[in-house]
Amino acid sequence: MLANGKPELLIPASCLEVLKVAVAFGADAVYIGGDVYGLRAKAKNFNHEDMAEGIRYAHRHGVRVHVTVNILAHNDDLEGVRLYLRELNELQPDALIIADPGIFDIAGEECPGIERHISTQANNTNWASARFWYRQGAKRVVTARELSLEEIREMRRQIPKDMEIETFIHGAMCISYSGRCLLSNYFTGRDANRGACTHPCRWKYAVMEESRPGEYLPIEENERGTYIFNSKDLCMIEHIPDLMTAGIDSFKIEGRMKTALYVATVARTYRKAIDDYARDPALYEKNLPWYQEQIADCTFRRFTTGFFYGKPSEEDQIYDSNTYITNYTYLGVVSATDENGYAVIGQKNKFRTGDRIEIMKPDGRNVEVTVRAIYNENGESMDSAPHPQQELHVDLGQKADVNDILRMKKEAE
């Protein structure tokens, strides 16, 4: 719990640009991964220089940085892990998120002044295991996804007051227990528990009976197959009062492979919901429709409350699709304004002169504007911007601030 009595809002960041957006849009802390030894090897991740800059930037803005070192290590990982932890000790993030007991011990030796947090990958399903980790020197435990709110309340009652509880409250759900999945390694040779998950739980499947080879039997399938492992996304924006009274110290958002638009949307919405409830529960209830509307603007796979209110049913799975619902196209993050007052962005998706788009601001405003002109980095005028990653200078008719998000509403299908 923060000094102001509110839970920490912990936001994922895949790269330096997204870290800065998370800070601007309300994060109390961010969690990031390096090039190695985290469970999101397919994310952009941070090299040494970007991590150093990200930590400095976050600390200047009063935001903590947690670094994931949460692979389940094999023997040949350990020497490299030790060297990597020495590098992290020089950078001084605020915490390390660890699942493997061996890495936990090495981190204690190499990073004695940095908090060690126990990853959800360590299957933290009861207060006795939390007490065990506390005795080993852990500052915080990240609860397993399988816990109910009542189980978390009981954990809070049973563990030392100075041990913190961190809990996922929003984002993608893994099909396997606490995310420890073997499917990826079995099918593709890419080990999910060492950071290389290929997300086979989102693939399509069918059932075939042994005596009928080649005959695929339906399992509530559509014409493309059935998605029997595909969970809905966790969303607790409508249940902030229950979360705030459960003894949770840190509200964690899943998504270290997500875009800056996703991060900005989720961070801004939960930031306002937490602050409104802390100020006056009636204000939270009044603004609930706004939170619901905003959270639906980010990419998601329909929503569920997961295990918080008991075991999920078949209603919490998605059988007919593995696709995300996306209501907005992400155009870019404003990195600067030029001498003409135009917004400078690294383009993410196509848009054109004359398009109606939105400037998404950290304070909750979504300002609708018309793209009046687009120029490339050489000052040449462009009717459209079809090439991602290009630096563009965009005349929006009004000033956009650094770290604002540009987005465009998708046409209804």
Side-chain angles (χ1 to χ4, degrees):
M1 200 70 66
L2 300 176
N4 60 15
K6 300 176 188 176
E8 172 188 83
L9 180 58
L10 178 57
I11 302 295
S14 60
C15 62
L16 184 58
E17 178 185 64
V18 177
L19 180 149
K20 292 179 178 180
V21 167
V23 170
F25 279 76
D28 296 308
V30 295
Y31 66 102
I32 66 176
D35 292 331
V36 289
Y37 307 124
L39 284 183
R40 285 294 178 264
K42 291 170 67 179
K44 294 179 184 177
N45 291 321
F46 287 71
N47 60 32
H48 185 87
E49 292 74 22
D50 282 353
M51 188 177 290
E53 183 179 344
I55 291 170
R56 287 194 298 268
Y57 181 90
H59 286 174
R60 283 200 304 271
H61 291 82
V63 172
R64 289 165 51 92
V65 179
H66 305 174
V67 178
T68 59
V69 196
N70 57 345
I71 67 162
L72 301 179
H74 290 229
N75 290 335
D76 57 4
D77 293 315
L78 295 179
E79 183 178 353
V81 165
R82 185 177 291 277
L83 294 175
Y84 179 58
L85 287 167
R86 287 176 185 170
E87 293 178 3
L88 291 181
N89 192 52
E90 295 173 4
L91 299 181
Q92 285 293 297
D94 300 278
L96 305 174
I97 304 173
I98 301 169
D100 189 290
I103 294 178
F104 184 88
D105 270 355
I106 296 170
E109 297 166 5
E110 300 294 343
C111 306
I114 301 176
E115 291 181 10
R116 289 173 291 171
H117 297 176
I118 306 304
S119 170
T120 190
Q121 290 284 120
N123 302 97
N124 303 300
T125 57
N126 61 77
W127 55 261
S129 65
R131 282 184 178 180
F132 166 82
W133 284 114
Y134 179 79
R135 291 195 298 271
Q136 311 315 308
K139 174 66 175 177
R140 178 182 294 187
V141 63
V142 186
T143 55
R145 301 293 195 96
E146 294 79 15
L147 294 191
S148 68
L149 280 170
E150 186 49 48
E151 288 177 299
I152 293 171
R153 292 187 184 101
E154 179 64 13
M155 181 180 287
R156 176 73 278 165
R157 287 191 286 267
Q158 296 287 350
I159 66 175
K161 291 183 179 179
D162 60 340
M163 187 178 203
E164 297 173 352
I165 293 175
E166 178 178 304
T167 299
F168 282 98
I169 65 164
H170 191 96
M173 298 280 283
C174 184
I175 193 64
S176 296
Y177 207 78
S178 292
R180 295 172 71 163
C181 182
L182 297 177
L183 282 178
S184 181
N185 207 358
Y186 183 79
F187 285 145
T188 70
R190 298 179 61 171
D191 191 345
N193 299 309
R194 299 173 85 183
C197 183
T198 54
H199 300 101
C201 56
R202 311 303 182 198
W203 301 350
K204 60 184 178 182
Y205 295 88
V207 166
M208 186 173 66
E209 198 273 324
E210 183 179 18
S211 66
R212 296 176 175 85
E215 183 178 341
Y216 297 99
L217 306 178
I219 319 171
E220 299 185 41
E221 67 177 351
N222 66 9
E223 68 278 5
R224 293 179 297 165
T226 186
Y227 300 86
I228 55 176
F229 298 140
N230 193 24
S231 172
K232 294 180 180 179
D233 282 359
L234 179 65
C235 178
M236 289 293 286
I237 196 64
E238 299 175 12
H239 304 280
I240 293 296
D242 288 346
L243 291 173
M244 295 279 279
T245 57
I248 300 168
D249 298 280
S250 179
F251 290 176
K252 188 171 192 174
I253 306 298
E254 182 276 336
R256 275 203 303 118
M257 296 177 68
K258 298 294 179 65
T259 67
L261 174 58
Y262 174 92
V263 165
T265 303
V266 178
R268 185 177 72 167
T269 307
Y270 278 95
R271 175 78 281 150
K272 182 166 175 56
I274 293 166
D275 292 348
D276 285 352
Y277 183 82
R279 180 181 172 188
D280 183 355
L283 181 61
Y284 167 82
E285 293 295 334
K286 175 184 175 184
N287 290 331
L288 187 55
W290 185 87
Y291 316 139
Q292 294 166 323
E293 175 188 335
Q294 295 302 308
I295 211 69
D297 284 343
C298 69
T299 302
F300 66 100
R301 275 192 203 90
R302 298 178 233 169
F303 288 135
T304 174
T305 57
F307 291 81
F308 282 119
Y309 297 103
K311 293 182 179 179
S313 71
E314 68 276 3
E315 295 299 317
D316 296 281
Q317 294 294 114
I318 303 173
Y319 297 102
D320 60 353
S321 173
N322 70 340
T323 57
Y324 283 99
I325 298 169
T326 305
N327 294 321
Y328 278 88
T329 299
Y330 171 40
L331 304 181
V333 179
V334 178
S335 59
T337 53
D338 66 17
E339 63 276 9
N340 298 309
Y342 301 159
V344 180
I345 68 168
Q347 183 207 358
K348 302 300 182 184
N349 285 289
K350 182 178 179 179
F351 64 104
R352 305 177 62 89
T353 300
D355 282 345
R356 292 291 287 173
I357 69 172
E358 289 182 3
I359 306 172
M360 182 182 174
K361 291 185 169 291
D363 63 9
R365 290 179 295 144
N366 301 315
V367 182
E368 191 171 294
V369 296
T370 299
V371 178
R372 295 167 55 169
I374 305 171
Y375 302 93
N376 65 20
E377 57 188 318
N378 298 319
E380 299 164 336
S381 179
M382 306 170 64
D383 289 331
S384 67
H387 304 300
Q389 308 306 321
Q390 187 173 11
E391 182 182 297
L392 300 177
H393 296 239
V394 187
D395 180 2
L396 300 171
Q398 61 179 280
K399 184 176 181 292
D401 298 311
V402 172
N403 292 324
D404 282 353
I405 300 284
L406 302 188
R407 66 182 189 177
M408 183 165 58
K409 194 167 185 63
K410 288 193 168 185
E411 297 286 341
E413 296 182 357

